[in-house]
Amino acid sequence: MSSPHAAPTLLADLGGTNVRFALADTGRVDPLLMDSVRRYRVRDFDTLADAIQQYFADTGHTARRATIAAAGRIADGETVQITNNPWAVVAHALQAKLGLDSVSLVNDFAAQGMAVPLLSAPYLASVGSQSLPQLDGNPTQTYVVMGPGTGLGVAGLLLRDGRWTVLETEGGHAGFAAHTSEDVEILHRLNARFGRVSNERMICGNGLVNLYLALADIAGQPPEEYSPEDITSHAVDGSDPLCVRTVETLAGIFGSVAGDLVLSLGGWNGVYLTGGVLPILLPWLRHGGFRQRFEAKGRFRETMEQVPTVAVIHPEPGLLGAAALARVQAGQPLLPPRG
């Protein structure tokens, strides 16, 4: 039950294109108040403080604390330069500007990770034949949380002695490792354009365009001036074979990278896939080369065949994770005590 004296916590999920706001009641087992969710375009505001003030004005809500999930590396728990938009956020300055009691900054994919313990089965979809992970089983568990949006987010989620913690990373910026002859050809072309090539150059919205242009060049085909949305729509309706090939290729590379992250983080209990582009990619992940390349890890193939990959289909996983963090900061557990 919620405490009648508990003030709501402001939540923000800040990405490269959009910022979403909501409120959390940390006294509830399901702390995210879905009817409080609003979305704004980053480009419409000069600062995060301006966007928050607009949210309060539009909704009539107020809050004394804020938990901000931001797409970027959090420096000393205090500042973040958003990776794919011009905003910089300084916690103490935001707190002073808005007259809040506290502001907590966290990486956006750390928030996505902390959402996992609050996700019920209707918000999860298996990618592959493996069963959904059992989060209330072994007291020691490790998961990978990753997914494409404006960029590629990566986090680790750990359960140790009944307590959930999240490992914040910038794994999306790790260097791309080519696994096939086609990967090598793609890498050559992207290297000529960008120099160093990270996984994010391919596994994100704009990554679809990068892949499309590379594949067009490999095929000797003049490219169209397609947006990511154009590529996916032509792939879905089958009207452009190169667009179909582009999305299939992204799905396969996504699988390779997800598998590499399992090896790197020891995420043997599973991979949770999320991010703004995931709903578009999901059919291709479930029926394409994602699992094939995920499992193709040489001497670890048999182990990787047992690792579940799960799509998160909750409408607001970033805000849910921010609400989970707010609940933890209020001293509340994420899972009911075991009987």
Side-chain angles (χ1 to χ4, degrees):
M1 295 293 290
S2 173
S3 167
H5 305 294
T9 299
L10 173 69
L11 309 172
D13 180 16
L14 173 54
T17 305
N18 299 305
V19 58
R20 293 170 171 82
F21 297 114
L23 298 179
D25 181 343
T26 59
R28 292 175 24 150
V29 173
D30 54 341
L32 176 60
L33 305 178
M34 286 298 297
D35 61 356
S36 68
V37 175
R38 299 288 187 281
R39 186 186 74 170
Y40 298 86
R41 301 281 287 186
V42 166
R43 68 186 182 191
D44 293 337
F45 300 91
D46 292 331
T47 67
L48 176 60
D50 293 338
I52 290 172
Q53 289 172 328
Q54 187 64 55
Y55 171 74
F56 284 155
D58 289 345
T59 63
H61 296 317
T62 60
R64 300 304 308 164
R65 296 171 300 278
T67 298
I68 312 295
R73 178 179 176 272
I74 311 299
D76 301 320
E78 175 65 18
T79 63
V80 58
Q81 172 62 58
I82 309 306
T83 302
N84 289 298
N85 82 42
W87 287 359
V89 181
V90 180
H92 74 268
L94 184 64
Q95 180 178 334
K97 173 75 173 178
L98 299 175
L100 300 173
D101 294 336
S102 67
V103 171
S104 175
L105 294 181
V106 65
N107 175 267
D108 62 331
F109 258 75
Q112 298 264 3
M114 289 299 284
V116 167
L118 298 183
L119 290 167
S120 57
Y123 295 120
L124 301 170
S126 291
V127 178
S129 60
Q130 296 74 15
S131 300
L132 293 176
Q134 298 299 310
L135 274 65
D136 59 351
N138 193 318
T140 299
Q141 301 183 44
T142 304
Y143 297 92
V144 173
V145 183
M146 66 178 301
T150 305
L152 174 64
V154 175
L157 178 66
L158 293 79
L159 179 64
R160 299 293 185 269
D161 298 321
R163 180 174 179 176
W164 291 102
T165 57
V166 70
L167 176 65
E168 300 185 27
T169 88
E170 288 297 336
H173 296 279
F176 170 62
H179 292 272
T180 68
S181 58
E182 183 179 69
D183 285 357
V184 172
E185 293 298 323
I186 292 169
L187 179 58
H188 284 164
R189 285 157 176 81
L190 296 187
N191 183 259
R193 288 182 60 195
F194 301 113
R196 178 182 183 273
V197 179
S198 68
N199 293 322
E200 185 174 276
R201 290 295 188 187
M202 286 159 282
I203 309 174
C204 69
N206 286 332
L208 279 165
V209 177
N210 295 335
L211 279 173
Y212 170 80
L213 293 173
L215 291 170
D217 190 61
I218 292 169
Q221 177 177 327
E224 302 291 340
E225 293 187 6
Y226 284 155
S227 68
E229 294 77 14
D230 293 332
I231 293 169
T232 54
S233 65
H234 288 305
V236 169
D237 65 23
S239 60
D240 188 327
L242 188 58
C243 291
V244 174
R245 181 63 188 145
T246 297
V247 181
E248 290 175 342
T249 301
L250 189 152
I253 291 172
F254 193 1
S256 286
V257 173
D260 286 346
L261 285 165
V262 170
L263 298 177
S264 298
L265 296 178
W268 311 118
N269 296 105
V271 179
Y272 284 87
L273 307 171
T274 183
V277 181
L278 185 72
I280 299 169
L281 295 178
L282 185 55
W284 307 91
L285 299 181
R286 300 180 88 169
H287 303 295
F290 177 88
R291 279 297 308 194
Q292 179 182 357
R293 290 189 56 165
F294 177 83
E295 296 169 3
K297 298 302 177 187
R299 287 169 289 178
F300 275 83
R301 174 181 288 277
E302 289 186 5
T303 300
M304 297 300 292
E305 288 173 350
Q306 306 305 312
V307 177
T309 47
V310 183
V312 174
I313 53 177
H314 190 279
E316 299 293 347
L319 289 173
L320 181 65
L325 285 162
R327 181 168 164 82
V328 169
Q329 290 162 358
Q332 301 291 335
L334 291 186
L335 290 177
R338 295 175 184 174

